[in-house]
Amino acid sequence: MTTEIMSERRIYVASLADYNAGRLHGVWIDATLSPEDIQKRINAMLAESPEPHAEEYEIHDHEGFEGWKPDTSDITTLSLVAVALESTDEPEALGAFLSFYSVEDIDAFEQSFQGEYGSAEEFVREYYDNQGYDFGPLESYIDWDEVWYGEFECDGWNAVGDFYFSAF
């Protein structure tokens, strides 16, 4: 007997016929599988249902989506996001990105992600340092939070938690 290793990104899919009959019948499925393989596992779970006409399902729970809350039963989207989270070096940042932007924008993540910073001031200071700016004695008079709002946020840049993203 072989044991399948499941990704930490997974969904719990339950039979609605069983749920409506007062029992929980479902299965945890690795969300990084292809949509076709996910559907096969859903179909197998429904076929094993004690209810004679179990045909509908619902995703009742999910794990490992790094703050992104799937509001869909579209397994193609769930699989796409799970694979993207699994393949990036910054899954928490991608989860934050997806909590603000649309899944359709997922390809812009790598270009848009600027890093993790403790504050807008920390981000803006490092940004201008990397650009070679030296404000000299004027630096103590700069309101860095206002620079964030005036120069970045109003231009479409976003901060989601401690993660900063450029406009795209």
Side-chain angles (χ1 to χ4, degrees), residues 92-133:
E92 290 178 9
L94 179 54
F97 179 86
L98 292 171
S99 72
F100 188 83
Y101 296 101
S102 169
V103 172
E104 287 80 30
D105 297 324
I106 201 166
D107 291 335
F109 168 72
E110 295 293 333
Q111 170 193 341
S112 177
F113 180 54
Q114 299 297 306
E116 183 176 5
Y117 298 89
S119 67
E121 177 180 347
E122 182 183 338
F123 167 77
V124 173
R125 282 178 177 266
E126 184 172 311
Y127 180 87
Y128 282 116
D129 284 347
N130 291 339
Q131 301 295 319
Y133 286 92

Side-chain angles (χ1 to χ4, degrees), residues 50-137:
E51 286 298 308
H53 302 291
E55 299 171 351
E56 296 179 300
Y57 66 90
E58 187 172 283
I59 297 169
H60 281 193
D61 201 0
H62 63 279
E63 291 181 350
F65 283 87
E66 305 298 341
W68 180 67
K69 296 187 178 23
D71 59 353
T72 180
S73 60
D74 175 9
I75 57 177
T76 301
T77 299
L78 290 167
S79 176
L80 171 82
V81 171
V83 168
L85 288 165
E86 196 79 10
S87 62
T88 184
D89 292 335
E90 299 286 347
E92 290 178 9
L94 179 54
F97 179 86
L98 292 171
S99 72
F100 188 83
Y101 296 101
S102 169
V103 172
E104 287 80 30
D105 297 324
I106 201 166
D107 291 335
F109 168 72
E110 295 293 333
Q111 170 193 341
S112 177
F113 180 54
Q114 299 297 306
E116 183 176 5
Y117 298 89
S119 67
E121 177 180 347
E122 182 183 338
F123 167 77
V124 173
R125 282 178 177 266
E126 184 172 311
Y127 180 87
Y128 282 116
D129 284 347
N130 291 339
Q131 301 295 319
Y133 286 92
D134 180 11
F135 295 102

